[in-house]
Amino acid sequence: MDPNRPGRGRPRDASRDAALRQAAMEVLAEVGYRALTMDAVAAQARAGKATIYRRWDSKLDLVIDTCTQLVQRNIPEPDSGSVEHDLREFLSAFASFLTGPVGKAAQALVGELPHEPELAAAFRTSFLLPQRDVVRRLIDRGLRRGEIGPEAPVDTIVELTGAALLYRLMLTDEPLDAEFVERLLTQALLPLLHRRS
């Protein structure tokens, strides 16, 4: 699905895209994926349903495009020359992202993934894998600079980074805050990165 494809009917007003995505995220956070309808998104955005269908063919397209755009706009890929600094900046930004309005929407989506295989595949591709790839690139740059030894369990560190944030967000009743990010970095990720055989 290409949201920039030529529209049906009137030419598309691109200025409405952000408002429609915001409305989709708000409805998703409130009612979950299964109960989300194009009518509800249109009402939330004060737009006609046809306005939405000119951009997205289905609610799956709308939700995944919304996730993709949010991630691209809000999560940095720092390259300061220090893997510790880069990981701290990434983790802080991702934690802030998840604890903002998108956090509730992400929780609503994750609860639906076991029952919606098409949604699960698209969510992994648009939301989870890009974050994993950013962490891997940060670590790979550290390896090339010699900050990290070749013995570091890179695959484990990459998986642990995202898993720890999502676990804290979705399964505990504890804050995903700066203190937690610092503990994750200094007590888990950096010791693993600097491990020597």
Side-chain angles (χ1 to χ4, degrees):
M1 190 279 306
D2 177 5
N4 295 313
R5 72 192 189 286
R8 295 173 289 235
R10 285 186 313 183
R12 180 184 115 178
D13 176 6
S15 68
R16 293 290 289 149
D17 291 10
L20 293 168
R21 290 187 184 106
Q22 180 67 28
M25 190 178 67
E26 290 168 359
V27 173
L28 178 64
E30 184 178 342
V31 303
Y33 178 75
R34 279 195 239 186
L36 183 146
T37 65
M38 296 300 216
D39 285 323
V41 174
Q44 183 78 7
R46 296 191 173 114
K49 192 162 63 168
T51 301
I52 299 174
Y53 277 113
R54 277 196 294 275
R55 292 158 171 81
W56 301 281
D57 291 328
S58 67
K59 73 176 184 178
L60 175 65
D61 290 338
L62 170 58
V63 166
I64 294 305
D65 182 54
T66 297
C67 288
T68 301
Q69 292 296 320
L70 285 168
V71 168
Q72 290 174 351
R73 194 172 70 238
N74 289 281
I75 306 299
E77 183 173 335
D79 188 5
S80 69
S82 162
V83 71
E84 179 175 347
H85 181 276
D86 290 348
L87 281 172
R88 182 176 283 111
E89 184 178 340
F90 169 81
L91 289 168
S92 297
F94 197 28
S96 295
F97 177 66
L98 290 173
T99 53
V102 76
K104 289 183 180 178
Q107 291 179 54
L109 271 181
V110 169
E112 301 288 354
L113 300 185
H115 314 290
E116 300 280 350
E118 192 177 11
L119 175 65
F123 184 73
R124 280 192 293 270
T125 300
S126 68
F127 188 83
L128 297 177
L129 295 182
Q131 302 319 304
R132 188 181 71 180
D133 292 345
V134 168
V135 174
R136 181 171 292 280
R137 287 193 295 270
L138 299 183
I139 293 172
D140 285 345
R141 287 197 287 267
L143 283 165
R144 289 195 298 273
R145 290 190 300 259
E147 292 179 84
I148 301 167
E151 307 89 352
V154 173
D155 290 339
T156 299
I157 294 164
V158 170
E159 294 295 332
L160 176 60
T161 302
L165 294 176
L166 293 173
Y167 171 81
R168 185 84 166 189
L169 174 72
M170 297 183 183
L171 297 177
T172 75
D173 193 27
E174 299 171 281
L176 181 52
D177 56 11
E179 181 182 349
F180 174 75
V181 165
E182 191 66 18
R183 265 195 306 118
L184 173 63
L185 180 65
T186 58
Q187 297 178 19
L189 302 182
L190 292 178
L192 285 171
L193 284 170
H194 297 307
R195 189 177 73 178
R196 295 289 186 266
S197 58

